[in-house]
Amino acid sequence: MLIKKTTTRLLFLLTISLIMQGVYQINAASYDNVEKKFNERKQVIEEIYFESDTKKIRKEFFYNNDDSLARSIDYDYETKQYVSESFYSPQARYENKTREITYRNTYQYENGKYLKKSYRYDYSLGKYTHEFIYENKTKFKNRADSLRYQIIYEYKNDLTLSKAIKYDYKTKQYLSEYYYKVDTDFKERETNYDYRLDFYYNSDNTINNIQEYNYDQTNYHKQYFFKADTIYGNHFQYLLFSYLFEYDKNNFLVKTLKYDYLTKHYLSELYYDDDTQFSERSTKLSYYFIFYYDKDDNLVNSFKYDYKIKQFTYEYIYYPNTYYGDSHDDKIKKKKQLLFSSKLVLPLKSGIVSATAWSYQDGGWHPAVDIATPINSPIYAPANGEILMRMTTTTGYGIHMVTIHQIGDDTFTFIYGHLNKQGNKDKFLQGDIIGYTGTTGNSTGPHLHLEIIKHPNQSLNEVKQKFASNQDYWFGLGYHSIGNCKIDTVCRLNPIEYFNLNYQQAIAINTVQTNTILSNNYLDNVRKTYSQLSFGTDALYTKEGLSYYKIIADKVTRIQAKTKSEQELKKKLEHLLTKKTELLKKIVYEQNKLSNKEKDEKINREIIEIIY
């Protein structure tokens, strides 16, 4: 019985043992299956690197839906920061992870905590392709949302840097393009710039203009402007015009050249004052040229504008087949040279025409224009030129001078009579002061006697040689050809017509009729009297004064028509001079009580009463 029970227990234990062994074998087989399946997927969550039994770097792997590697992130235990992020090619497997990396981002931190920038390295190209700049206090987890700028690098065939493009994530615009010198490596990218382009946009995000910055000269040396609706991708296909800046050795702006891409012509040249910075280029302009071309792209003419006096001062006329490169070279001695060096301008700033060409209204030869103006009014050079002669006589022209000017193929001479003082410059530029008006010689009052003589197809030296052999040559010409200046004939020009004088610029006051019975001597006295009446009062040079002045001239004509004898006229003139003296004393007494306008009106009313 006992043996039977013992046998039964042994059989039970054996059965239990066999069952447990079977379960163990089943579990072992299941574990082997799990391990086998795990090894097939290689779905490793992290890989830990050790150094001196201390954790240093951890690599975390991320997979695609097809179990291929997508990316991995390297984490540094010492700095407690993510240091790099690797991206893999499609269908990359774990065992090939080091060979299947397509590009890697390496991260830099600021203050040991926040992301500052990251660099993207392309393994297929073997170079860095992008640089990402982050906002302040950017953490690794929100790096994609905190991007501020992106810089994209382009390389040459020899893997040296070609250019870099900077993109702004806030404005969604390209800010700059950086161009590099030869043999520039990525590590030298911030020290080996050649030049860069800075982009400026309109409100609709189209490009307005680009400024090109030169690192060697440390200044901007080009600026490009575009048509409407120009986007970054085709920014050099729609150029409208560009500026090219030139600097002196001190890096100050000297001039700017404007080029039109539509006509393929240079439109203008702008010149600057001394010490002009790039930022001041629109406020320190001195003068500029405007260029005009014909249908064959030859220069026709150009105009010079002076910003200080706000006037066009020169006009240049060119020979055929003249190009921009020939336009301002004074050393060119061939057909491609300037025809016109300047345009003649009126030598006086203001005045009143007191006698016109070609004769006095009462008879007598007058080959000039007389402009009444106060004594010592400056006389300005009508063009670039030089003094031909200076003379002083007690009669005739009094203190006078002659200037000579080369205008293209023609030479012009100016005669200035009745001066108070001559200038001391022998050679001068247009606009220089060359003398001062007066009333010397045979003069009826302060004025400038101005004559213009044209010498067609004669050089300056040819005219000077003729003058040296015969000084009367200057004053004996043109009498026979009044109003009939032929192309090859030396003759005087009418200054009234040449300078296009009008009512606002000058008014003729000697409206004396020629059908009077009075002698020329007493008519000269009339002019002298009214010149004395007018000189010394500013009223005659105001808008109101000019109107009254014309009335005075009309009254002079009436006086002459009514006067039957020279004796009566003489008494009338003496009476007018006496009244004039009394009037001027009265003006001095009352000048502090009246405004300028009131004074002008009062003076002219009383002068008119005297005339009556």
Side-chain angles (χ1 to χ4, degrees):
M1 186 70 179
L2 180 61
I3 294 174
K4 183 179 181 180
K5 289 182 179 180
T6 301
T7 302
T8 302
R9 288 179 180 177
L10 289 173
L11 290 171
F12 176 77
L13 290 174
L14 180 60
T15 301
I16 294 298
S17 175
L18 291 173
I19 293 172
M20 292 298 296
Q21 185 177 357
V23 171
Y24 174 78
Q25 290 176 350
I26 292 173
N27 287 340
S30 298
Y31 179 81
D32 290 342
N33 290 335
V34 171
E35 185 179 24
K36 183 179 180 182
K37 185 176 181 182
F38 182 81
N39 289 335
E40 287 177 353
R41 294 183 59 187
K42 299 294 184 186
Q43 192 78 3
V44 180
I45 302 304
E46 66 178 25
E47 202 174 87
I48 300 175
Y49 295 81
F50 297 92
E51 184 175 316
S52 301
D53 298 328
T54 303
K55 291 181 179 180
K56 185 178 181 183
I57 297 291
R58 182 182 78 239
K59 186 182 290 290
E60 299 177 358
F61 294 93
F62 299 86
Y63 292 81
N64 300 311
N65 293 333
D66 61 355
D67 292 339
S68 61
L69 274 174
R71 63 190 175 97
S72 62
I73 303 175
D74 291 359
Y75 182 83
D76 190 326
Y77 280 93
E78 291 183 357
T79 62
K80 296 182 180 181
Q81 295 171 350
Y82 292 95
V83 293
S84 68
E85 187 172 7
S86 300
F87 293 81
Y88 299 90
S89 60
Q91 300 178 351
R93 296 298 171 178
Y94 179 78
E95 64 271 10
N96 297 323
K97 60 183 182 298
T98 58
R99 289 187 299 151
E100 300 294 342
I101 296 176
T102 56
Y103 62 90
R104 180 185 75 243
N105 292 335
T106 304
Y107 298 95
Q108 288 187 0
Y109 290 79
E110 189 175 35
N111 300 326
K113 186 176 181 181
Y114 299 111
L115 268 177
K116 182 179 181 181
K117 66 174 63 175
S118 64
Y119 301 100
R120 176 174 292 179
Y121 183 85
D122 192 318
Y123 280 87
S124 62
L125 300 175
K127 58 193 178 186
Y128 290 93
T129 56
H130 292 71
E131 185 173 347
F132 301 92
I133 314 297
Y134 299 94
E135 296 279 13
N136 296 330
K137 297 185 177 181
T138 299
K139 295 184 178 181
F140 183 79
K141 64 181 180 180
N142 61 356
R143 63 195 183 280
D145 300 327
S146 299
L147 282 171
R148 183 66 180 91
Y149 302 109
Q150 178 189 22
I151 302 176
I152 304 170
Y153 296 96
E154 295 184 7
Y155 291 78
K156 303 172 186 175
N157 292 334
D158 59 359
L159 297 186
T160 57
L161 275 172
S162 173
K163 70 175 180 178
I165 304 170
K166 188 174 184 180
Y167 179 80
D168 188 330
Y169 278 92
K170 282 191 174 179
T171 62
K172 301 186 185 304
Q173 294 171 346
Y174 292 92
L175 298 182
S176 302
E177 282 186 19
Y178 299 83
Y179 291 80
Y180 296 94
K181 299 176 183 177
V182 180
D183 301 331
T184 301
D185 295 327
F186 183 77
K187 62 183 179 181
E188 300 173 327
R189 64 192 182 281
E190 294 180 358
T191 59
N192 212 18
Y193 288 131
D194 191 1
Y195 65 93
R196 81 166 184 262
L197 304 178
D198 292 335
F199 296 89
Y200 297 86
Y201 291 78
N202 301 311
S203 58
D204 59 357
N205 284 342
T206 57
I207 294 178
N208 180 283
N209 71 87
I210 296 178
Q211 292 180 7
E212 183 176 324
Y213 183 85
N214 190 316
Y215 282 87
D216 289 338
Q217 299 178 354
T218 64
N219 52 39
Y220 289 91
H221 66 123
K222 280 187 180 180
Q223 187 170 7
Y224 305 90
F225 286 82
F226 300 88
K227 299 177 185 177
D229 303 329
T230 301
I231 59 176
Y232 177 79
N234 53 12
H235 55 275
F236 279 122
Q237 298 177 19
Y238 294 97
L239 280 171
L240 187 59
F241 56 88
S242 64
Y243 288 117
L244 174 64
F245 301 98
E246 293 188 13
Y247 294 77
D248 61 16
K249 62 181 180 180
N250 298 316
N251 278 336
F252 292 120
L253 268 176
V254 177
K255 68 174 182 176
T256 299
L257 184 62
K258 185 178 181 181
Y259 181 80
D260 189 328
Y261 284 89
L262 297 179
T263 63
K264 301 186 184 303
H265 291 152
Y266 292 96
L267 298 182
S268 62
E269 272 188 41
L270 298 91
Y271 290 80
Y272 300 94
D273 293 333
D274 296 334
D275 304 337
T276 301
Q277 306 281 356
F278 182 81
S279 58
E280 301 170 329
R281 63 193 184 281
S282 61
T283 59
K284 279 199 170 184
L285 282 169
S286 177
Y287 59 91
Y288 75 83
F289 291 92
I290 301 176
F291 299 100
Y292 295 91
Y293 295 77
D294 62 17
K295 63 180 181 179
D296 298 319
D297 293 339
N298 300 317
L299 266 176
V300 178
N301 63 346
S302 63
F303 295 93
K304 181 180 179 182
Y305 182 84
D306 192 320
Y307 277 91
K308 291 183 178 179
I309 62 176
K310 300 185 184 305
Q311 290 178 358
F312 287 97
T313 55
Y314 286 82
E315 182 177 3
Y316 296 82
I317 309 298
Y318 301 94
Y319 277 103
N321 303 321
T322 301
Y323 298 96
Y324 174 80
D326 307 319
S327 58
H328 293 300
D329 191 348
D330 294 335
K331 296 180 180 180
I332 294 177
K333 300 298 182 183
K334 53 185 180 179
K335 188 175 182 181
K336 297 178 181 179
Q337 60 184 347
L338 295 175
L339 279 173
F340 272 66
S341 61
S342 71
K343 184 177 181 179
L344 299 171
V345 297
L346 189 67
L348 290 177
K349 297 295 185 183
S350 62
I352 300 173
V353 174
S354 58
T356 58
W358 296 103
S359 62
Y360 294 110
Q361 289 184 315
D362 58 318
W365 169 244
H366 187 240
V369 61
D370 286 348
I371 304 177
T373 185
I375 289 179
N376 284 331
S377 294
I379 301 171
Y380 301 94
N384 299 351
E386 58 185 277
I387 298 293
L388 187 63
M389 62 159 283
R390 294 185 179 95
M391 290 187 68
T392 300
T393 60
T394 56
T395 60
Y397 289 104
I399 299 174
H400 61 286
M401 63 184 182
V402 178
T403 61
I404 185 170
H405 314 269
Q406 178 74 47
I407 310 296
D409 288 341
D410 304 324
T411 296
F412 292 81
T413 53
F414 274 56
I415 302 174
Y416 313 83
H418 312 298
L419 307 184
N420 190 50
K421 185 171 62 174
Q422 299 169 344
N424 55 11
K425 289 184 177 181
D426 291 330
K427 293 186 177 182
F428 45 79
L429 298 176
Q430 186 180 59
D432 289 348
I433 296 177
I434 56 177
Y436 298 87
T437 61
T439 183
T440 58
N442 187 16
S443 172
T444 60
H447 73 284
L448 174 65
H449 174 97
L450 182 65
E451 299 181 34
I452 309 177
I453 303 173
K454 181 180 179 181
H455 308 264
N457 299 313
Q458 294 186 41
S459 68
L460 186 142
N461 289 331
E462 289 176 335
V463 177
K464 289 169 69 174
Q465 289 174 1
K466 292 179 181 179
F467 172 79
S469 62
N470 179 13
Q471 289 193 8
D472 290 338
Y473 171 82
W474 296 95
F475 306 103
L477 292 175
Y479 284 27
H480 62 283
S481 57
I482 300 172
N484 188 27
C485 288
K486 298 180 181 179
I487 295 177
D488 56 350
T489 302
V490 178
C491 65
R492 284 175 168 82
L493 303 180
N494 186 340
I496 295 289
E497 296 177 357
Y498 187 88
F499 293 117
N500 193 27
L501 298 180
N502 54 40
Y503 181 79
Q504 284 73 29
Q505 292 173 314
I507 297 176
I509 63 170
N510 62 325
T511 55
V512 181
Q513 302 298 323
T514 57
N515 57 355
T516 176
I517 61 173
L518 302 178
S519 67
N520 289 336
N521 289 336
Y522 277 95
L523 290 175
D524 289 339
N525 286 335
V526 171
R527 292 193 196 89
K528 186 173 182 180
T529 298
Y530 286 96
S531 177
Q532 290 171 345
L533 276 173
S534 65
F535 185 69
T537 65
D538 292 334
L540 300 177
Y541 295 93
T542 64
K543 184 176 180 180
E544 294 82 2
L546 289 174
S547 299
Y548 287 115
Y549 207 24
K550 189 177 181 184
I551 296 175
I552 293 174
D554 293 338
K555 300 308 176 186
V556 171
T557 303
R558 294 182 186 180
I559 291 173
Q560 296 174 65
K562 294 179 180 179
T563 304
K564 301 302 181 182
S565 68
E566 295 180 359
Q567 189 65 26
E568 292 179 9
L569 178 60
K570 184 177 180 180
K571 290 181 180 180
K572 185 66 174 178
L573 294 177
E574 291 174 351
H575 174 70
L576 290 175
L577 290 176
T578 301
K579 290 293 184 180
K580 179 233 177 180
T581 302
E582 296 176 356
L583 178 60
L584 292 178
K585 290 181 179 179
K586 191 175 183 180
I587 291 172
V588 172
Y589 178 77
E590 295 183 350
Q591 64 181 353
N592 294 327
K593 299 180 181 180
L594 300 173
S595 66
N596 289 335
K597 184 176 180 180
E598 291 172 336
K599 182 175 67 175
D600 291 345
E601 292 177 349
K602 186 175 182 64
I603 292 171
N604 287 292
R605 281 198 303 269
E606 297 196 22
I607 289 178
I608 291 173
E609 290 177 1
I610 294 174
I611 296 299
Y612 278 107

